[in-house]
Amino acid sequence: MANCHIVVAHPGATFGLTEIRLGLWPFLVYRSMELAVGERRATEMALTGRIFGGQEAKELGLVHEVAAEPEQRAMEVAETIAGFSPSAIHNGLSFIQEVRGMGWEQAGRVARRVRDWVFAGPDFQEGLRAFREKRPPRWPSMRDSGGD
């Protein structure tokens, strides 16, 4: 779940880096956990192997929402996201990956480059038209990907 963009958990869900209990370090997931919760918290989890619930996972930033019906809530979130520009989502997620670990100045240059490219794209133009016309957008990138 540390690799997920959005996490909805059931109140009874449990989480932990329990590999240490088997004489192992959580090598494959440690970096993702570190990015999600910070080095000190991830190290504490890895060293103790403790198990914690959904509410604590939310407080730690591993879970965005705790819901009694997580599948239903996740579908609602997915449907909301599916209504947005596929191009904007793709470019935004690519931007996040590209600037990870960069300094502010370098990341700002990347942001300006990507923003300028998105501004010139058909989805942004359609989004502006739809906003002005007070109607739902019809994303060109969705039609291009066979989603329409």
Side-chain angles (χ1 to χ4, degrees):
M1 82 180 110
N3 285 317
C4 298
H5 299 301
I6 300 173
V7 179
V8 179
H10 186 274
T14 58
F15 304 91
L17 295 179
T18 59
E19 290 86 340
I20 199 75
R21 296 174 181 206
L22 302 174
L24 183 64
W25 188 260
F27 294 105
L28 297 178
V29 298
Y30 181 82
R31 182 70 178 135
S32 296
M33 289 294 286
E34 181 183 74
L35 289 171
V37 301
E39 181 182 353
R40 290 185 66 193
R41 181 65 67 185
T43 301
E44 178 266 333
M45 291 175 180
L47 286 171
T48 65
R50 71 184 178 86
I51 296 172
F52 50 94
Q55 189 57 44
E56 183 177 352
K58 182 179 180 202
E59 292 165 9
L60 293 169
L62 288 173
V63 169
H64 298 93
E65 191 172 336
V66 176
E69 300 291 333
E71 295 88 358
Q72 178 182 338
R73 180 63 188 132
M75 286 302 296
E76 291 168 359
V77 172
E79 288 170 2
T80 297
I81 294 168
F84 298 137
S85 160
S87 177
I89 292 168
H90 171 79
N91 286 296
L93 293 174
S94 294
F95 167 76
I96 291 168
Q97 292 295 319
E98 187 174 346
V99 300
R100 184 168 282 146
M102 284 184 182
W104 282 95
E105 188 175 323
Q106 188 178 7
R109 284 193 297 274
V110 172
R112 285 186 291 280
R113 175 180 47 81
V114 174
R115 181 199 59 200
D116 291 348
W117 189 85
V118 170
F119 276 176
D123 275 17
F124 180 68
Q125 301 307 314
E126 167 59 15
L128 285 177
R129 274 192 304 279
F131 178 77
R132 290 180 185 134
E133 296 169 9
K134 298 181 182 354
R135 63 169 174 80
R138 294 179 296 273
W139 304 116
S141 66
M142 189 172 292
R143 288 192 299 272
D144 294 345
S145 67
D148 209 20

